[in-house]
C-alpha cells in the first residue's frame, strides 16, 4: 500500500514539484494550502508523513506543529518542515516544537524524497 503524505504548502510550483517526485515514487500525495484549516485536513487525511511550510496564509507552520505535538493522535506524526527562512532561530523554534526534520528552500527533489523515506521507513 502506498504511503500517504500531506503537503501543506501555498506555493503552487512547489506543490507541483513535490507532488510529481513523490507520486512518481509511488506515494499518495495530497495538498492543502491554508494554515487555518490545516489541522482539519490532517485529521481527515491521516497521513503517514506531513510536509509543512512555515509561512502559510492564516496560520504559521510553527503554530500548526505546536498543536500537532499537543494532540495524542498526531504527537508522533513525522513532520518535514520546509522554509525559505533558514535562520538559526527558526530551526531552533521548529526543534523546540518537535519537528522531525527541518529543510530550507531551495531544496533538491532528491533530498525531499530521501528525508520522507527516512521519516516513514
Amino acid at each position: 500500500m502506498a504511503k500517504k503524505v500531506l503537503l501543506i504548502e501555498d506555493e503552487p510550483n512547489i506543490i507541483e514539484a513535490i507532488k510529481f517526485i513523490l507520486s512518481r515514487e509511488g506515494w499518495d500525495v495530497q495538498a492543502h494550502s491554508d494554515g487555518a484549516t490545516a489541522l482539519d485536513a490532517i485529521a481527515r487525511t491521516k497521513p503517514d508523513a506531513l510536509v509543512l511550510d512555515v509561512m502559510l496564509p492564516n496560520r504559521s507552520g510553527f503554530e500548526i506543529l505546536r498543536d500537532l505535538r499537543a494532540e495524542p493522535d498526531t504527537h508522533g506524526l513525522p513532520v518535514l518542515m520546509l522554509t525559505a527562512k533558514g535562520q538559526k532561530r527558526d530551526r531552533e523554534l521548529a526543534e523546540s516544537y518537535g519537528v522531525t526534520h527541518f529543510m530550507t528552500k531551495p531544496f533538491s527533489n532528491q533530498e525531499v524524497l530521501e528525508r520522507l523515506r527516512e521519516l516513514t521507513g
Side-chain angles (χ1 to χ4, degrees):
M1 187 162 125
K3 295 220 184 224
K4 191 184 316 181
V5 65
L6 179 59
L7 171 59
I8 301 180
E9 168 67 60
D10 63 325
E11 293 183 39
N13 56 340
I14 292 177
I15 292 170
E16 289 309 310
I18 291 176
K19 270 185 154 183
F20 177 77
I21 59 160
L22 294 179
S23 296
R24 190 177 63 191
E25 293 289 323
W27 289 74
D28 174 6
V29 184
Q30 296 183 33
H32 188 79
S33 59
D34 184 7
T37 55
L39 292 173
D40 291 336
I42 295 163
R44 253 190 340 272
T45 308
K46 297 188 182 354
D48 296 303
L50 183 67
V51 177
L52 179 61
D53 188 16
V54 169
M55 297 188 304
L56 294 163
N58 304 312
R59 192 146 195 255
S60 82
F62 292 127
E63 293 171 303
I64 294 164
L65 177 61
R66 182 193 60 213
D67 290 351
L68 285 173
R69 294 307 186 228
E71 292 298 320
D73 289 347
T74 56
H75 180 78
L77 178 65
V79 177
L80 171 58
M81 187 167 257
L82 301 177
T83 183
K85 299 169 54 176
Q87 288 94 353
K88 182 179 177 187
R89 190 177 137 272
D90 294 322
R91 182 179 297 272
E92 289 171 349
L93 184 58
E95 289 172 356
S96 76
Y97 287 149
V99 73
T100 315
H101 190 79
F102 188 88
M103 189 178 294
T104 56
K105 299 174 187 175
F107 50 81
S108 76
N109 292 345
Q110 191 61 34
E111 187 179 12
V112 170
L113 184 57
E114 288 172 8
R115 289 305 151 262
L116 282 171
R117 282 181 185 147
E118 287 173 9
L119 297 179
T120 60

